[in-house]
């Protein structure tokens, strides 16, 4: 029997190749499947068909959070309710979804977690309806170096959240890696296992995902080789440090080949279908993965494709003859060198996954996903004009090129020798509550800064790469960032304002908080070099 899915990828192939060329993507994999039919797959290398997907490793990015939630669900719904002796340690988390997260965490952990504004429940924190604000600029240096240790993270998170929202809270939905990191620490505390080991035993092996792993593993046959587009073209880069950091891996640390991520989403899609068709009345992890949102956005797990929907970044259009909405569960994952986009269409027992190993001029996986969806839904024109995904990819690439040009110009200001004498600035600056230290040094008449946090390796503090400090004027220096995980978000403002004493010595450096634009983060000088 002919399916609407037959021939869709082939029909989109020329536009797919063009999008990949526009983005500068090295490798890309597409998996389209309707349960229980044979999946359709396409793979591309340098914008042309042909790629080994079995031996190519892709990072899942934020899709890793879904695995961590399933691990927590396994603990709360299965282990905590079991009478078997080996699961006795999980009893404190029985019926934990509606209990305050801090209460659950402190009951099983030796690391005291201060209270969070609005006292979020476990469910609210897992679904980002309460908990931590975005804090990549607190947990990582501008070059992506993880700064915070596991031991320090709970207090740093609570302090920043309190600074962000105040004691009264007033929180609204906000997507944050910090929430999933807290969940990872909770899993480690109650299980007595490292998170990668728990995930491997109770998720990957249970679901039959032999190539999936959390964290960098050089012994895996499908090596993870990320790329990014620069002025020199598409170039290989080192795997982001967040893939191996013991703290950050909870939010973004899973890798696998295409076949295993497809197996994972097949399980997810089947669970959703069973729930909708009421074949399974038992609570599932999907209840927490797919929580409805009043204001779903690009980071939400939900997206409604319908004539009146404005939740999508791009309006795809719809068939004039059928205005009935089609629910689509959606999530995306992006880290340095990798992009990933996934949709689940329960009413059709279908799911779509697009992965790439390149941070391109534009997110190719997002555009290709929308291109395929447009073909699947046979979506018609809006206001008489059909949306061109290819044109939108071109426009996105042009806009990003302009942003990169602006960023490059901001990084090429002259270093004014007369603005401030190096001896007035060289020293160590600290923010004790956030466990961040800036070490400013002078080399060959240039000023440099390194970031240091509470994290140590083999007893030695972890330092970021050296970044030049450009003296813009007598009141301001600018950090020259060669590579940043959040150029246009957490680190879009690279300037530090200077405060001086009566002798003209700099006593503090202050930068604008990217989340609280009206506030600053101040680093106080603690020593002179």
């Amino acid at each position: 029997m002919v399916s609407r899915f037959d021939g869709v990828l082939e029909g989109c192939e020329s536009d797919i190749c063009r999008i990949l060329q526009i983005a500068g993507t090295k490798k890309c994999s597409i998996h389209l499947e309707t349960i229980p039919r044979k999946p359709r797959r396409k793979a591309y290398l340098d914008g042309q068909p042909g790629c080994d997907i079995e031996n190519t490793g892709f990072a899942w990015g934020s899709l890793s959070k879904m695995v961590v939630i399933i691990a927590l669900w396994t603990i709360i719904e299965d282990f905590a309710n079991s009478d078997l002796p080996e699961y006795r340690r999980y009893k404190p988390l029985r019926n934990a979804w509606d209990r305050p997260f801090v209460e659950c965490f402190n009951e099983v952990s030796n690391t005291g977690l201060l209270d969070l504004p609005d006292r979020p429940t476990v469910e609210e924190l897992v679904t980002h309806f309460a908990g931590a604000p975005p804090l990549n600029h607190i947990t990582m240096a501008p070059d992506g170096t993880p700064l915070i240790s596991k031991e320090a993270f709970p207090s740093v998170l609570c302090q920043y959240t309190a600074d962000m929202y105040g004691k009264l809270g007033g929180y609204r939905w906000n997507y944050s890696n910090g929430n999933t990191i807290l969940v990872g620490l909770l899993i480690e505390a109650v299980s007595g296992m490292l998170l990668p080991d728990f995930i491997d035993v109770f998720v990957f092996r249970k679901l039959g995902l032999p190539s999936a792993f959390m964290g960098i593993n050089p012994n895996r046959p499908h090596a993870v080789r990320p790329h990014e587009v620069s002025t020199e073209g598409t170039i290989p880069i080192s795997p982001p440090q967040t893939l191996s950091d013991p703290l950050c891996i909870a939010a973004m640390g899973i890798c696998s080949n295409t076949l295993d991520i497809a197996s994972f989403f097949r399980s997810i899609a089947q669970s959703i279908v069973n729930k909708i068709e009421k074949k399974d009345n038992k609570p599932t992890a999907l209840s927490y993965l797919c929580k409805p949102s009043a204001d779903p956005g690009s980071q939400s797990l939900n997206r409604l494709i319908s004539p009146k929907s404005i939740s999508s970044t791009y309006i795809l259009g719809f068939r004039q003859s059928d205005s009935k909405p089609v629910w689509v569960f959606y999530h995306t994952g992006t880290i340095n060198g990798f992009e990933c986009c996934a949709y689940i269409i329960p009413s059709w027992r279908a799911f779509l996954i697009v992965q790439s190993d390149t941070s391109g001029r534009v997110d190719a996986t997002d555009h290709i996903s929308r291109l395929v969806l447009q073909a699947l839904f046979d979506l018609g024109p809006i206001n008489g004009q059909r949306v061109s995904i290819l044109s939108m990819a071109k426009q996105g690439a042009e806009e990003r090129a302009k942003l990169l040009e602006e960023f490059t110009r901001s990084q090429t200001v002259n270093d004014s020798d007369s603005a401030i004498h190096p001896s007035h600035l060289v020293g160590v600056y600290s923010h004790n509550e956030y466990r961040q230290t800036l070490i400013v040094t002078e080399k060959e008449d240039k000023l440099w800064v390194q970031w240091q946090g509470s994290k140590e390796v083999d007893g030695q503090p972890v330092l970021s790469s050296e970044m030049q400090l450009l003296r813009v004027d007598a009141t301001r220096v600018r950090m020259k960032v060669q590579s940043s995980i959040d150029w246009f978000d957490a680190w879009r403002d690279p300037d530090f304002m200077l405060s001086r004493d009566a002798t003209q010595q700099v006593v503090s450096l202050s930068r604008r908080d990217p989340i609280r634009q009206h506030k600053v983060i101040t680093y106080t000088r603690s020593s002179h070099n």
Side-chain angles (χ1 to χ4, degrees):
M1 183 174 68
V2 177
S3 164
R4 72 166 67 226
F5 291 81
D6 293 334
V8 167
L9 296 184
E10 289 77 9
C12 295
E13 188 158 275
S14 61
D15 281 352
I16 290 173
C17 291
R18 189 71 189 102
I19 290 172
L20 293 172
Q21 292 163 7
I22 291 170
T25 301
K26 185 69 176 177
K27 289 184 179 181
C28 176
S29 171
I30 306 174
H31 183 104
L32 177 62
E33 182 172 341
T34 49
I35 301 171
R37 291 176 176 269
K38 183 179 179 180
R40 288 88 170 166
R41 297 193 189 102
K42 286 286 185 178
Y44 298 84
L45 176 64
D46 294 326
Q48 297 297 326
C51 171
D52 178 8
I53 61 172
E54 291 192 29
N55 294 311
T56 297
F58 295 100
W60 294 23
S62 286
L63 268 67
S64 303
K65 296 178 175 67
M66 302 175 72
V67 177
V68 176
I69 294 173
I70 287 178
L72 180 64
W73 176 88
T74 300
I75 289 174
I76 295 175
E77 296 294 336
D78 284 350
F79 296 174
N81 290 310
S82 174
D83 293 325
L84 295 176
E86 58 265 35
Y87 296 136
R88 187 176 297 117
R89 65 184 304 139
Y90 299 99
K91 292 293 184 184
L93 294 187
R94 178 178 288 182
N95 302 320
W97 297 116
D98 296 325
R99 293 166 53 198
F101 181 88
V102 172
E103 175 186 303
C104 296
F105 187 89
N106 289 341
E107 191 170 350
V108 300
S109 173
N110 294 325
T111 303
L113 179 62
L114 301 176
D115 212 350
L116 292 168
D118 291 341
R119 290 184 61 78
T121 65
V122 172
E123 180 179 325
E124 288 172 337
L125 185 131
V126 162
T127 55
H128 305 283
F129 277 82
L135 68 170
N136 282 355
H137 60 295
I138 301 297
T139 58
M140 289 177 275
D143 64 351
T145 301
L147 297 174
I148 308 299
S149 65
K150 285 184 182 181
E151 295 74 20
F153 180 78
S155 63
V156 171
L157 178 140
C158 287
Q159 181 64 55
Y160 183 71
T161 303
D163 291 346
M164 175 76 174
Y165 299 117
K167 294 181 180 180
L168 297 179
Y171 190 84
R172 71 176 187 87
W173 188 89
N174 207 341
Y175 187 86
S176 173
N177 289 331
N179 292 330
T180 311
I181 291 174
L182 276 181
V183 171
L185 294 178
L186 176 65
I187 292 173
E188 291 191 340
V190 72
S191 69
M193 300 172 65
L194 293 176
L195 182 63
D197 295 336
F198 187 93
I199 295 290
D200 183 58
V201 173
F202 296 110
V203 180
F204 294 154
R205 295 185 193 179
K206 184 178 179 180
L207 295 178
L209 311 179
S211 79
F213 60 94
M214 178 175 269
I216 293 295
N217 189 333
N219 297 320
R220 298 284 179 170
H222 57 291
V224 177
R225 295 188 178 93
H227 300 77
E228 69 177 6
V229 175
S230 70
T231 53
E232 288 78 30
T234 302
I235 59 174
I237 61 174
S238 299
Q241 297 180 58
T242 48
L243 286 179
S244 56
D245 179 62
L247 186 73
C248 294
I249 53 175
M252 59 190 81
I254 291 177
C255 304
S256 80
N257 62 17
T258 297
L259 304 182
D260 274 2
I261 194 173
S263 294
F264 176 77
F265 272 90
R266 188 177 302 116
S267 300
I268 298 290
Q270 187 63 65
S271 296
I272 295 177
V273 169
N274 290 345
K275 199 71 177 173
I276 291 174
E277 297 180 354
K278 298 182 178 179
K279 294 180 180 179
D280 183 4
N281 292 321
K282 182 183 178 182
T284 70
L286 277 306
S287 303
Y288 304 99
L289 285 173
C290 306
K291 204 70 177 171
S293 168
D295 183 25
S298 62
Q299 295 288 355
S300 172
L301 289 174
N302 304 288
R303 176 165 289 172
L304 177 64
I305 296 180
S306 72
K308 296 181 180 180
S309 174
I310 58 171
S311 61
S312 173
T313 304
Y314 306 147
I315 300 175
L316 297 175
F318 60 96
R319 286 180 289 175
Q320 302 288 350
S321 60
D322 182 8
S323 60
K324 183 179 179 181
V326 178
W327 279 100
V328 175
F329 294 97
Y330 159 87
H331 202 13
T332 182
T334 302
I335 58 174
N336 271 12
F338 296 98
E339 298 165 343
C340 185
C341 191
Y343 286 84
I344 300 176
I345 313 169
S347 60
W348 293 351
R349 298 170 174 266
F351 63 93
L352 168 69
I353 304 167
V354 184
Q355 294 176 280
S356 86
D357 66 350
T358 307
S359 293
R361 298 183 186 91
V362 70
D363 187 340
T365 65
D366 187 40
H367 288 80
I368 290 172
S369 297
R370 297 173 188 278
L371 179 73
V372 175
L373 283 176
Q374 191 178 64
L376 277 176
F377 283 103
D378 189 26
L379 299 175
I382 294 178
N383 299 327
Q385 183 177 0
R386 182 177 175 86
V387 174
S388 170
I389 305 299
L390 183 59
S391 296
M392 300 199 84
K394 292 178 180 177
Q395 180 181 342
E398 291 170 357
E399 290 175 354
R400 179 170 174 80
K402 291 179 181 178
L403 288 172
L404 285 171
E405 289 175 4
E406 292 175 6
F407 182 83
T408 300
R409 282 197 299 270
S410 74
Q411 297 279 287
T412 54
V413 298
N414 292 327
D415 183 22
S416 175
D417 294 335
S418 60
I420 179 172
H421 194 275
S423 64
H424 293 168
L425 192 59
V426 169
V428 178
Y429 302 77
S430 301
H431 193 299
N432 294 329
E433 288 82 5
Y434 298 164
R435 309 292 181 92
Q436 287 185 337
T437 298
L438 308 183
I439 304 172
V440 179
T441 56
E442 179 190 7
K443 295 179 182 179
E444 300 176 352
D445 296 325
K446 294 181 180 180
L447 290 168
W448 303 85
V449 63
Q450 280 184 292
W451 294 72
Q452 178 183 323
S454 59
K455 182 182 176 182
E456 294 184 349
V457 175
D458 297 329
Q460 298 298 315
V462 172
L463 295 172
S464 73
S465 60
E466 286 188 318
M467 290 162 254
Q468 189 178 356
L469 277 181
L470 303 173
R471 290 161 286 186
V472 180
D473 54 42
T475 65
R476 183 168 45 129
V477 292
R478 178 168 297 168
M479 182 172 53
K480 189 172 183 179
V481 184
Q482 298 297 328
S483 178
S484 172
I485 59 170
D486 284 315
W487 270 346
F488 310 118
D489 186 18
W491 295 103
R492 61 180 176 270
D493 186 353
D495 287 3
F496 288 87
M497 305 307 294
L498 312 180
S499 295
R500 303 170 184 256
D501 61 14
T503 66
Q504 294 303 303
Q505 291 290 325
V506 175
V507 295
S508 67
L509 302 174
S510 299
R511 64 184 175 104
R512 191 180 302 278
D513 191 306
I515 309 301
R516 307 166 296 168
Q517 287 289 308
H518 62 290
K519 294 188 177 182
V520 296
I521 300 175
T522 299
Y523 302 83
T524 304
R525 193 174 192 174
S526 56
S527 70
H528 300 64
N529 284 357

